[in-house]
Amino acid sequence: MRILALFAISVLILSSCKSAIRIIDKPIVYDQERKLLTLEYLEQRYGIKANSPKITPKMIVLHWTVIPTLQKSFEAFENATLPNWRPDIKTVSGLNVSSQFMVDRDGTVYRLLPETIMARHVIGLNHCAIGVENVGGDIGQPLTKAQLKSNIWLVRYLSNKYDIDYLIGHYEYTLFENHPLWLEKDSGYRTVKTDPGADFMEKVRKAVDDLNFKLLPKS
Ligand SMILES: [Zn+2]
């Protein structure tokens, strides 16, 4: 009887672990303005003229927000336009930054945009990349074990659904400058990134080794 009870408890624990991660929709503003700015971004930065800002996912890009809370991280992406955007400066897109997913410190996974709508999170590659932002990161607030677990889960979920070739950390994006997927027209438009840290990427990659993503281009 005792053994049976123990068995029942362990089955319960195992099954609850399995179903512990799920996606919660927490949409940022996706209105006509954001749609038009996204279409403009696709055309101006990549030369893609489209009627819909849909992407064909080929890559997953992992990030950290540095912003310490979910609420503040969400607020940074929520509005359609960049804060302090001046529409009179035509050379700079007013489209706010965002990502399709955000993972809270406790590992909760939020979907901020439909998975195949373009988000502005990685120069040169937004037309083919799904972004996963992790709340926090950097010195003083390293990404948590729960976030690691959820990122691994999310990479598997997305790879099952789409034809994903590459998994990268944001800091690796410039390796793609000479790759056919790279479409940014301005060779001077680059930012230096360190997120989400080499250590975090190593752990995620190790856990999803069986998915056989392609090797990154050499620098
Ligand atoms: Zn980033």
Side-chain angles (χ1 to χ4, degrees):
M1 201 52 198
R2 215 178 191 178
I3 290 172
L4 212 72
L6 269 176
F7 176 73
I9 288 167
S10 51
V11 166
L12 252 175
I13 291 169
L14 270 177
S15 57
S16 69
C17 280
K18 258 189 175 171
S19 59
I21 301 173
R22 65 194 174 91
I23 294 169
I24 298 172
D25 282 303
K26 185 176 169 63
I28 54 173
V29 172
Y30 184 68
D31 56 2
Q32 191 63 9
E33 185 180 32
R34 196 170 208 135
K35 184 183 168 184
L36 290 175
L37 284 168
T38 307
L39 289 174
E40 187 187 270
Y41 185 100
L42 280 166
E43 186 172 352
Q44 289 180 352
R45 310 248 54 100
Y46 301 153
I48 296 175
K49 279 194 177 201
N51 296 320
S52 127
K54 277 202 110 183
I55 64 166
T56 305
K58 286 279 163 199
M59 177 183 287
I60 300 165
V61 184
L62 306 184
H63 303 260
W64 64 34
T65 66
V66 181
I67 303 167
T69 66
L70 173 76
Q71 187 55 30
K72 292 278 176 206
S73 299
F74 181 83
E75 283 169 12
F77 295 169
E78 191 175 13
N79 293 330
T81 54
L82 280 173
N84 308 319
W85 176 47
R86 287 176 49 198
D88 52 312
I89 306 176
K90 291 286 180 204
T91 49
V92 179
S93 168
L95 176 64
N96 197 8
V97 292
S98 67
S99 63
Q100 287 85 355
F101 291 93
M102 184 172 279
V103 181
D104 198 2
R105 308 281 302 158
D106 66 0
T108 310
V109 178
Y110 295 95
R111 182 165 41 210
L112 312 185
L113 274 175
E115 291 163 10
T116 55
I117 292 293
M118 194 204 92
R120 182 180 188 180
H121 63 99
V122 57
I123 292 168
L125 303 161
N126 289 310
H127 64 95
C128 65
I130 293 180
V132 178
E133 285 280 355
N134 288 279
V135 174
D138 213 354
I139 304 152
Q141 212 181 18
L143 299 184
T144 65
K145 277 192 178 149
Q147 284 174 313
L148 175 66
K149 203 175 143 195
S150 292
N151 277 247
I152 292 164
W153 180 88
L154 205 43
V155 167
R156 289 195 178 280
Y157 161 83
L158 292 170
S159 303
N160 268 331
K161 219 167 160 182
Y162 306 105
D163 189 14
I164 303 290
D165 287 335
Y166 297 99
L167 167 68
I168 73 165
H170 195 186
Y171 68 93
E172 295 168 311
Y173 82 102
T174 50
L175 292 174
F176 283 83
E177 281 180 347
N178 297 314
H179 189 279
L181 285 176
W182 183 271
L183 294 184
E184 172 58 42
K185 285 166 174 275
D186 182 354
S187 60
Y189 179 40
R190 301 286 186 275
T191 48
V192 177
K193 296 291 176 183
T194 57
D195 63 318
D199 179 53
F200 189 79
M201 282 313 297
E202 199 183 314
K203 286 176 182 157
V204 177
R205 285 201 169 106
K206 214 169 171 185
V208 299
D209 192 44
D210 57 298
L211 297 178
N212 294 313
F213 292 122
K214 289 185 183 172
L215 293 175
L216 305 195
K218 296 252 186 288
S219 56

